[in-house]
Amino acid sequence: QSKTPIQPLEIGGTKYSVLACSGVIAPEFYRDLVNKNANVLVNSASLSTMGMGREFFGQAFQMARFQAVANSRTMIQSARGKQSFVMNSNGVITAQNPTENTGYFVAEIKPENRKTVYSILGEWMVAVSALALVVLLLNKYKKKL
């Protein structure tokens, strides 16, 4: 493990959170970088060499969408073996490589600064929300008796 903590990479005033390959399926890494003021999420992956089926790309895509929406950040996916894309903070693809072949495309990105409840509180907020819902439902059920 590195003695240097992971930090956003700043280029031209924009801070990028750059993770490779399986970083897209590690929510805490991107959340940590967003809390260090990263404006854009970036993932590079060689999806063709993972030895996985087509389903893996679909799962990686859904995790990229989760990262973009949960952290309210533009997500850039640079992939070999599947299409590269730029996704906005609403989870909508705004640009995409037209083929799965290695190549490049030009896209405009929108750096974001707003933090979400998820980016501030993290995974445990799901458990707290579920507990609050159970308490509300039990309270409602109790009043009916």
Side-chain angles (χ1 to χ4, degrees):
Q1 187 174 23
S2 174
K3 293 179 183 178
T4 305
I6 190 167
Q7 294 292 323
L9 172 66
E10 187 169 351
I11 301 172
T14 299
K15 293 183 179 181
Y16 297 87
S17 61
V18 182
L19 297 176
C21 206
S22 61
V24 77
I25 62 171
E28 288 299 309
F29 293 152
Y30 279 117
R31 192 179 77 77
D32 181 42
L33 287 162
V34 166
N35 283 316
K36 292 177 180 173
N37 299 315
N39 309 110
V40 176
L41 310 178
V42 180
N43 185 261
S44 63
S46 182
L47 298 173
S48 63
T49 60
M50 292 296 291
M52 308 286 183
R54 291 185 324 215
E55 295 79 19
F56 179 75
F57 177 71
Q59 291 170 340
F61 178 81
Q62 290 302 324
M63 283 304 296
R65 178 173 278 149
F66 168 78
Q67 298 288 5
V69 173
N71 291 296
S72 187
R73 296 291 186 272
T74 295
M75 167 62 85
I76 301 170
Q77 172 73 58
S78 172
R80 189 176 79 178
K82 288 292 178 182
Q83 291 176 312
S84 299
F85 58 83
V86 176
M87 180 183 292
N88 68 19
S89 61
N90 293 320
V92 176
I93 292 179
T94 57
Q96 188 170 3
N97 191 18
T99 70
E100 294 179 2
N101 297 329
T102 302
Y104 71 93
F105 63 98
V106 178
E108 189 173 330
I109 59 168
K110 180 182 175 192
E112 305 274 354
N113 292 318
R114 184 177 68 85
K115 291 185 181 173
T116 64
V117 173
Y118 171 80
S119 59
I120 295 167
L121 299 177
E123 298 289 325
W124 69 270
M125 71 165 237
V126 175
V128 170
S129 298
L131 179 63
L133 182 62
V134 168
V135 168
L136 286 172
L137 290 173
L138 287 175
N139 195 20
K140 187 175 182 175
Y141 179 72
K142 188 176 169 181
K143 286 180 181 178
K144 286 186 175 184
L145 295 177

